[in-house]
Amino acid sequence: MAGRARAATSPPASPPPGKQFAEVVVVRHGETSWNATRTIQGQMDPELNDTGRRQALVVARRLSREAKPAAVYSSDLKRAAETAQTIATACGVSSLVLDPALRERHMGDLHGLAFDDAVRRNPEIFSSYSRTQEIPGGGESLDQLSKRCVSYLNTVAEKHKGERVIVVTHGASTEELCIHADPTSPVRGKLYNTSICVFRIGGGEWILEKAGDVGHLDQGEFL
């Protein structure tokens, strides 16, 4: 079930009696050359560019100063896996799990297109608010993406009750997690590379504590 959102400045809510929550810190991967040129990546597999590697180091440094995570989970795509490895190393975590369930939305025939070209060719996909519309060429609907990612995080949270874990994934995937926790969350297009979202998940309840935090980045250089 969906949960409720809390402002980033609010103190953490106390878990209801009888419930154990996992703190799940979701990080979007660092920048790739495809991000920089606004090319649709989806489940294509470009690696981080130099900016992305610097971003990964900066967010890793920040997370290493916070409570130590029990594990790091990541999409198996290179841009996420490299970001996750950088974070795991900085945090002294040996448990790094790569899983395709955390991949970006499958974009079907739109893979590899410049974003503006994709909009011109398929305006109905970008103007439609239907959560069930699949993208031609085997692409996912928003509901399919949400189900995949939410199910995986529920499994992770069940395994790590009372613990903190870090999950590295992608822009659209993270947006769907935020919207699951808070359907009114205004995150579309606002989750920058290596932005941090913090959830507390337990017993089917999701609490969005923080969304799109990029306080670790120098905005003049990275945003």
Side-chain angles (χ1 to χ4, degrees):
M1 69 185 237
R4 62 187 186 273
R6 300 180 60 83
T9 55
S10 299
S14 297
K19 283 191 177 180
Q20 278 191 296
F21 283 68
E23 183 182 40
V24 182
V25 180
V26 177
V27 182
R28 187 185 176 196
H29 63 80
E31 185 185 88
T32 71
S33 60
W34 292 37
N35 288 132
T37 58
R38 288 172 54 83
T39 301
I40 294 177
Q41 299 175 102
Q43 295 193 6
M44 303 297 280
D45 203 17
E47 61 186 25
L48 298 180
N49 62 15
D50 288 343
T51 296
R53 292 189 176 97
R54 292 198 304 273
Q55 290 171 334
L57 286 169
V58 171
V59 73
R61 190 176 304 123
R62 170 183 172 170
L63 293 170
S64 72
R65 296 174 182 145
E66 299 177 2
K68 184 174 180 177
V72 177
Y73 293 83
S74 176
S75 158
D76 62 339
L77 297 177
K78 292 174 186 174
R79 57 194 186 272
E82 184 177 351
T83 304
Q85 182 62 70
T86 302
I87 292 170
T89 299
C91 293
V93 174
S94 59
S95 178
L96 171 58
V97 179
L98 305 182
D99 199 300
L102 291 168
R103 287 184 179 185
E104 181 59 289
R105 183 183 185 185
H106 194 297
M107 297 301 290
D109 292 341
L110 303 184
H111 280 124
L113 293 180
F115 181 80
D116 291 342
D117 289 342
V119 172
R120 282 193 291 269
R121 292 188 193 185
N122 302 90
E124 70 284 353
I125 291 174
F126 296 92
S127 61
S128 173
Y129 290 94
S130 171
R131 294 192 54 82
T132 60
Q133 180 175 347
E134 297 178 17
I135 299 173
E140 291 176 292
S141 69
L142 291 175
D143 276 352
Q144 289 170 333
L145 172 64
S146 179
K147 182 178 180 181
R148 167 164 63 82
C149 295
V150 168
S151 175
Y152 190 83
L153 257 65
N154 277 331
T155 299
V156 168
E158 180 67 21
K159 181 178 179 180
H160 292 283
K161 289 179 180 178
E163 297 180 325
R164 183 180 217 234
V165 295
I166 294 172
V167 173
V168 181
T169 185
H170 304 266
S173 304
T174 306
E175 288 176 357
E176 285 303 309
L177 295 171
C178 291
I179 290 168
H180 176 77
D182 175 17
T184 67
S185 181
V187 294
R188 291 288 185 208
K190 297 179 181 178
L191 299 178
Y192 298 104
N193 292 108
T194 68
S195 62
I196 291 174
C197 300
V198 179
F199 302 84
R200 287 171 10 112
I201 304 172
E205 184 173 3
W206 286 52
I207 301 169
L208 178 59
E209 295 281 357
K210 184 181 298 183
D213 184 348
V214 289
H216 50 282
L217 299 180
D218 177 90
Q219 296 193 10
E221 179 180 359
F222 290 115
L223 301 183

